Amino acid sequence: MSHLFSSILLATNLKPSCRQAFEIAAALAIRHQAALVLVHVLEQVPDYVQKNIQTMLGKSAYDELSRKYENKARNFLIGKKSSNQFIHDALAEFCTVAGIDEIACDGPSRHVVVAEGHPVSQILETARTHNCDLIVMGAREGFLADNAIGATIKAVMRSSRVPVMMVPPLES
């Protein structure tokens, strides 16, 4: 059996359009006995936006609004579970939907990273940290349309030192 890949990174926004990308990344990880690293990035508000809002509201009101927003976003994303547990549950569900046996889906190793910051930087940093040989990303709906390949995918493809596989979503 070929072991072309030793570590595969799946960058996901956890939207349904990423299901096909997950299935391909999981299948490649199983076939190559590679580690599967899943990363989801919580994007931060740009500094200039933060400064403008802080100027309008005042520092204490802005800080309070920021805390409320962050808690609301986290609770929505993770359903009040720990981030890693939520992602592990999502990964298990993807395996079930893909018809991949639970033992095979665990593969040789599986890592879940929930990062905060700029998506492109965090994806590339996670790929470096985990010595990934391949980055798999899902395109948006309307794969053949001009907007299917988002700015994040384009930037990762431009900056990555390893191959990047873009996977179109399943047709609805």
Side-chain angles (χ1 to χ4, degrees):
M1 179 182 297
S2 169
H3 293 283
L4 182 62
F5 304 113
S6 61
S7 184
I8 297 170
L9 175 70
L10 171 66
T12 180
N13 58 10
L14 299 176
K15 291 183 179 175
S17 60
C18 290
R19 181 175 296 152
Q20 182 74 0
F22 170 79
E23 291 175 10
I24 289 173
L28 284 169
I30 292 165
R31 169 137 173 75
H32 295 278
Q33 291 298 295
L36 179 60
V37 180
L38 184 118
V39 64
H40 175 73
V41 181
L42 298 170
E43 195 167 3
Q44 292 178 328
V45 175
D47 288 340
Y48 74 91
V49 173
Q50 288 180 1
K51 287 177 184 172
N52 288 343
I53 294 172
Q54 189 174 13
T55 300
M56 286 178 16
L57 298 177
K59 181 160 176 37
S60 64
Y62 172 79
D63 289 344
E64 180 63 26
L65 181 65
S66 253
R67 275 191 295 280
K68 285 180 183 177
Y69 172 76
E70 185 174 329
N71 288 336
K72 186 176 180 180
R74 276 193 191 282
N75 288 339
F76 176 77
L77 175 67
I78 64 177
K80 297 191 180 185
K81 295 181 182 181
S82 75
S83 298
N84 282 345
Q85 184 59 51
F86 175 76
I87 303 294
H88 281 287
D89 290 351
L91 192 55
E93 179 61 24
F94 277 137
C95 282
T96 301
V97 169
I100 300 170
D101 163 299
E102 186 177 324
I103 294 167
C105 197
D106 282 339
S109 65
R110 182 171 71 190
H111 305 280
V112 176
V113 177
V114 178
E116 290 187 39
H118 185 263
V120 175
S121 300
Q122 292 299 321
I123 291 166
L124 294 172
E125 179 59 30
T126 301
R128 275 190 295 278
T129 300
H130 291 274
N131 297 314
C132 295
D133 323 281
L134 175 68
I135 298 172
V136 179
M137 301 177 77
R140 296 191 289 239
E141 296 289 337
F143 176 65
L144 296 176
D146 289 338
N147 67 350
I149 304 170
T152 301
I153 292 174
K154 289 177 186 176
V156 169
M157 291 176 100
R158 273 193 300 272
S159 302
S160 178
R161 298 193 186 276
V162 300
V164 178
M165 177 186 289
M166 183 189 61
V167 181
L170 289 172
E171 288 188 29
S172 333

